Amino acid sequence: MIFGNWIMCYRIPLFIGILILWHTVLFGQVNSLSGVVVRQDNGTPIPFVNIWITGTPHGTSTNYDGDFEIKIPSFIDPAQYTLSFSSIGYYSKTIPLDQLGLDARVQLESSVTNLNELVILTEKKKKKNQAVARKLVQKAINQIPKNYPKKPYLLNTFYRHYCSENQNYVRLIEAAVDVYSPRNNFKLEQIPDQRLSFKVTQLRRSFDFTENARLFHPSISLNYLWSNDITDFEYHNPLAGALNHFYFEITDTTNYGQNKVIVINFKQKTDNPLASQSQYHGTLFVTEKDLAFIRTEVVETKIQNGGNDSVYSEISKKSFYKPYQDKYFLDRLTNDVNVLYASIDSNQVIIDTLRHRSHIEMIANNILSSDQHAFKGKEPNKLDLRKIRYDSTFWNGYTVLKATALEQQIIADLSSKISLQQQFQSFNTIDGGGISITQSDRFKDLLASYQGTPLYLVLWSNWGQLNHLDLKPVNYFKRMLKKQRVRFLLVAVEHNQAEWIDNRKYYGLNQKFIEHERMDLGFDSDIAKSYLNNVFPYFLSVSPDGTIYRDPPLPNNDSIKPFIKALIQEQLVAVPIAKE
C-alpha cells in the first residue's frame, strides 16, 4: 500500500498587563488596531481567539501565530465601547477601547477546570461514558434549530487560500466575500450554494500559476470550505448519518467565556459502511447550558489504490461559532489538505510522487441580521474572478486575517515569479500597487493618435488567440466602419514583431476595416504568459473623449448595434474603467 495576514498614536500605562498596538490609518476615518494574544503563564501565542467590539457584530480572529488586526468603524466611540477576547480553554477578557496602549501584547489566563461528577463516574465505566457522550451529541444535533440563526442574515467575510505542489506554491487568493443565508428550515443540504449565496466583492491578492500545475486547482473553494459546517450541510459530514457508527467519549470539560464546554472525541467504527470510502475522527466542543456546537474539528482520511497509482489524503476541517443575539453564528472556518499521489509500475515500485497541500480559511468580520441584504450568487469561476477590480480604499477599511510569517513568505515567493507591474497589467485584478495596461503611458500614447473617434478595441496575444469569426462585424457595424464613424483596432501585446505579423496571417486577422497596433509590454517569459493565459483576448471600447469601457458585445453579435450607436453619440450607459 502506498501513502504516504485616532488620528494620532499615543501611549498610556499598561492596563492589567495588556498591551496592544493602536494606530490610525486615515482612510475614511477608519481606525486600525493590531496585536498578538498570548498565554499569560508562558507567553505562547494563542490561535483562533475570537475578538469583537462588545455589543456589535464587528470582529476578527487571531491567526496561527496569535496575531490579529481589526478595523474599528468610524461610528465607534472609544470611550463607550470595549474589545472582547474569548477562546476555548481561557478566561475571557474585555478591555475598554480608550484604555488600550502600544506594543501589541494581550495576555489570556488559562481556565483550569475539572471533569464534573458525571464525567468522573463514567471514566470508570467506558461504555457508559460512550453512551452519555453519544446522547449529548444527539441532543446537540436536535438543538440545532434552536441554537443557530433561522432568520436571514449576511456575513462579511475575509477569505484566504493557498496551495502547493511538492515544494512549489502555485496558488494564493485573498478576497472579501459576502455570504447571504436566507431563512433556514434546517434541512441539511448537500452543497452550500444550494442554500447560501456567495459574492466575491473584492480581490486583495490573486496569484495563479496553476496553468503549469500537474493537478486541477479550483479558482476559489467556497463550497468546499463552507461544507465544514456540520449544522447546515451533509457533504462529507460524518454526523449526518447514524451516530451508532461512531465511538464517542467525553474527555474533558473547559470554558468559553462564562459557559462550561464539554469536550467529546469521536472515532469511526471499523464496521461503519462508510469505512471503505473515508475514515473520520475528531473533537466536538459542546456548551453545557444550551448544548450548542461552539467548535468542531473533523479529520477525514482516505486511501485509494489503483492499478497504476495510489492516493493518500488527510483533510483537517475546523469550524468556530460565535454567540450573537442569542444565536451561534459561524465565525471562522479552516481546511488543511494534505494529499500524496504515487505512481507505481507493474512491479509495485514507486516511479513518481506528487504531494499537494492547501490551506483554506475564512473569518467573519461583520454580521448583518436582516433580509434587506438579500442577493443570489453561486461560487464564481476563474473568469468571474478576472472581472473583479482591485480597490485599495476598500481594503484600507476592511478587516483581514493577519498573515502569518509563513504566509508572508508565500506571498513574497509568488510575487517573485512575476513582477508586480506585470501582475497589474492584467487589468487591476491583483493587489500590489502597479498600473494596468489601460493606465500605462504606452497605451495612452497609442490612444492619443485615435482621439476624437470612437474605438472598438481588442487586446490580444499569440498565447491568448482570437477567433476571427468573432471579429466579423454585423452589417450595421460594418457600415459605421466604412463611414469612419467608428474604428476597429486590434492591439497585440506582443514582444516579437515578426511573430505578430505571422500570427495575424495565421489567425485570419488581416480583415477589411480592422486596424493593427503592437505594444511590447515585456510579456515574453513563459511565466508571464501562463499567468496571463486566460486574460487575453480582452475587449474594450473607447468613447471620443477617451473614456474606456470594458466588455462590449462581440462584433458579430446583433446587440453590438445599439452599443455602437450609444458609443458614437456618447450616450453609453456602462461603468467605465477608472481614468487616472
Side-chain angles (χ1 to χ4, degrees):
M1 183 176 296
I2 312 299
F3 57 86
N5 184 68
W6 288 278
I7 298 174
M8 61 183 297
C9 295
Y10 59 93
R11 181 184 299 273
I12 66 170
L14 291 180
F15 174 69
I16 58 173
I18 299 165
L19 293 172
I20 299 177
L21 181 62
W22 174 250
H23 61 90
T24 294
V25 184
L26 191 58
F27 293 108
Q29 300 297 317
V30 174
N31 302 318
S32 180
L33 173 64
S34 62
V36 61
V37 182
V38 300
R39 288 177 57 112
Q40 182 174 290
D41 55 354
N42 59 21
T44 303
I46 308 173
F48 308 122
V49 177
N50 185 12
I51 304 167
W52 74 98
I53 303 170
T54 313
T56 80
H58 299 280
T60 188
S61 179
T62 58
N63 63 18
Y64 282 91
D65 295 338
D67 296 317
F68 73 92
E69 180 180 320
I70 185 172
K71 299 298 171 61
I72 312 298
S74 57
F75 66 84
I76 297 294
D77 180 356
Q80 302 297 322
Y81 286 87
T82 59
L83 200 64
S84 296
F85 299 82
S86 291
S87 181
I88 290 176
Y90 297 88
Y91 290 112
S92 296
K93 187 162 286 183
T94 301
I95 310 163
L97 282 175
D98 62 356
Q99 296 188 31
L100 297 174
L102 297 174
D103 293 336
R105 194 168 183 84
V106 179
Q107 299 176 351
L108 294 185
E109 181 183 353
S110 176
S111 61
V112 179
T113 59
N114 296 314
L115 295 179
N116 60 30
E117 183 179 348
L118 171 66
V119 178
I120 294 174
L121 174 65
T122 58
E123 273 285 297
K124 300 176 181 178
K125 300 180 180 179
K126 191 171 184 179
K127 288 185 178 180
K128 187 174 180 180
N129 181 309
Q130 292 173 358
V132 172
R134 184 169 65 247
K135 187 176 180 179
L136 283 172
V137 173
Q138 186 62 64
K139 285 183 176 181
I141 293 173
N142 296 341
Q143 289 291 98
I144 286 174
K146 180 180 178 180
N147 287 327
Y148 300 88
K150 182 176 183 180
K151 296 180 180 180
Y153 66 92
L154 182 143
L155 292 181
N156 299 137
T157 75
F158 174 74
Y159 171 94
R160 177 182 286 133
H161 176 184
Y162 51 87
C163 56
S164 65
E165 288 188 359
N166 292 335
Q167 301 301 314
N168 299 313
Y169 285 93
V170 296
R171 182 83 175 102
L172 180 137
I173 181 172
E174 295 178 338
V177 182
D178 284 351
V179 182
Y180 175 72
S181 173
R183 188 176 182 85
N184 196 346
N185 62 7
F186 296 101
K187 176 184 176 183
L188 290 180
E189 298 285 358
Q190 272 285 339
I191 307 300
D193 66 10
Q194 289 177 336
R195 195 179 74 77
L196 303 178
S197 291
F198 297 116
K199 180 167 61 178
V200 178
T201 57
Q202 285 286 324
L203 287 179
R204 185 167 182 251
R205 291 187 176 93
S206 182
F207 300 97
D208 188 352
F209 297 98
T210 58
E211 292 294 335
N212 294 331
R214 294 167 59 181
L215 302 174
F216 169 75
H217 297 260
S219 301
I220 198 167
S221 297
L222 301 177
N223 277 311
Y224 183 65
L225 181 61
W226 275 81
S227 64
N228 284 18
D229 184 7
I230 66 170
T231 71
D232 220 356
F233 307 106
E234 62 180 356
Y235 178 74
H236 286 231
N237 178 354
L239 304 185
L243 297 186
N244 58 6
H245 293 308
F246 293 86
Y247 293 111
F248 294 90
E249 182 182 4
I250 298 173
T251 60
D252 201 0
T253 60
T254 184
N255 289 84
Y256 180 84
Q258 301 302 314
N259 296 319
K260 182 169 286 187
V261 174
I262 303 167
V263 182
I264 303 172
N265 286 350
F266 70 91
K267 183 178 180 180
Q268 190 169 305
K269 295 180 179 179
T270 55
D271 60 350
N272 188 330
L274 296 177
S276 61
Q277 302 173 27
S278 298
Q279 287 285 329
Y280 294 95
H281 68 275
T283 306
L284 307 172
F285 299 80
V286 180
T287 60
E288 186 179 63
K289 181 180 179 180
D290 45 19
L291 294 176
F293 296 107
I294 192 74
R295 173 173 174 174
T296 65
E297 300 177 357
V298 177
V299 177
E300 176 184 353
T301 58
K302 189 173 184 179
I303 297 175
Q304 295 174 292
N305 290 307
N308 298 314
D309 55 22
S310 184
V311 181
Y312 169 82
S313 63
E314 180 176 289
I315 305 169
S316 177
K317 302 179 283 190
K318 295 183 176 69
S319 302
F320 302 79
Y321 302 83
K322 177 175 71 173
Y324 177 66
Q325 294 183 341
D326 298 322
K327 299 293 181 182
Y328 289 87
F329 289 80
L330 262 176
D331 183 60
R332 183 162 181 186
L333 296 167
T334 70
N335 268 11
D336 286 287
V337 179
N338 184 4
V339 184
L340 178 62
Y341 298 84
S343 298
I344 56 180
D345 63 16
S346 58
N347 296 318
Q348 296 295 296
V349 176
I350 298 174
I351 57 176
D352 187 29
T353 61
L354 176 64
R355 185 174 294 279
H356 168 75
R357 292 186 175 93
S358 68
H359 175 78
I360 315 169
E361 60 189 341
M362 179 281 302
I363 61 165
N365 55 35
N366 192 21
I367 305 170
L368 300 171
S369 303
S370 171
D371 60 359
Q372 66 179 344
H373 305 287
F375 67 88
K376 291 186 180 295
K378 298 289 187 179
E379 179 178 284
N381 58 35
K382 183 177 288 190
L383 293 180
D384 295 328
L385 293 176
R386 293 286 188 187
K387 297 175 184 178
I388 300 173
R389 300 179 62 206
Y390 171 77
D391 181 357
S392 60
T393 57
F394 172 88
W395 291 105
N396 291 330
Y398 199 80
T399 294
V400 305
L401 182 63
K402 197 162 186 180
T404 65
L406 172 63
E407 289 160 352
Q408 291 171 1
Q409 184 60 50
I410 293 170
I411 293 168
D413 289 347
L414 288 174
S415 299
S416 68
K417 291 186 178 181
I418 179 170
S419 71
L420 288 175
Q421 182 174 357
Q422 287 181 321
Q423 292 169 30
F424 265 81
Q425 285 168 333
S426 57
F427 316 105
N428 286 336
T429 57
I430 295 123
D431 180 23
I435 59 174
S436 72
I437 287 177
T438 59
Q439 294 169 332
S440 69
D441 290 337
R442 293 182 187 179
F443 190 77
K444 290 176 181 178
D445 290 343
L446 186 150
L447 290 188
S449 61
Y450 293 87
Q451 194 167 4
T453 303
L455 284 176
Y456 188 97
L457 188 150
V458 184
L459 290 162
W460 69 287
S461 67
N462 71 329
W463 66 90
Q465 298 92 346
L466 281 164
N467 185 339
H468 70 93
L469 295 177
D470 289 338
L471 303 181
K472 187 176 181 181
V474 298
N475 289 333
Y476 174 79
F477 191 11
K478 192 181 295 184
R479 290 198 303 271
M480 294 300 100
L481 289 169
K482 188 174 182 179
K483 293 177 180 180
Q484 296 189 339
R485 299 288 305 279
V486 64
R487 298 172 76 171
F488 193 172
L489 179 63
L490 298 187
V491 180
V493 183
E494 178 62 64
H495 177 66
N496 189 296
Q497 181 172 355
E499 289 185 4
W500 168 56
I501 295 172
D502 289 341
N503 285 326
R504 283 165 48 188
K505 296 177 182 177
Y506 183 79
Y507 294 114
L509 304 180
N510 291 329
Q511 299 181 30
K512 192 175 182 180
F513 303 125
I514 295 181
E515 303 173 61
H516 294 273
E517 297 280 358
R518 181 178 70 90
M519 289 194 307
D520 181 5
L521 294 177
F523 297 148
D524 55 330
S525 71
D526 290 338
I527 288 176
K529 291 177 181 179
S530 64
Y531 181 80
L532 300 169
N533 181 58
N534 292 321
V535 174
F536 299 117
Y538 198 80
F539 293 79
L540 302 168
S541 62
V542 186
S543 66
D545 68 353
T547 302
I548 303 168
Y549 300 89
R550 64 199 305 169
D551 300 327
L554 291 174
N556 65 348
N557 193 298
D558 289 337
S559 60
I560 193 71
K561 181 176 179 179
F563 182 88
I564 293 297
K565 279 185 177 181
L567 183 65
I568 292 171
Q569 297 170 8
E570 299 187 67
Q571 296 177 348
L572 195 61
V573 180
V575 179
I577 293 178
K579 296 170 67 177
E580 287 280 314

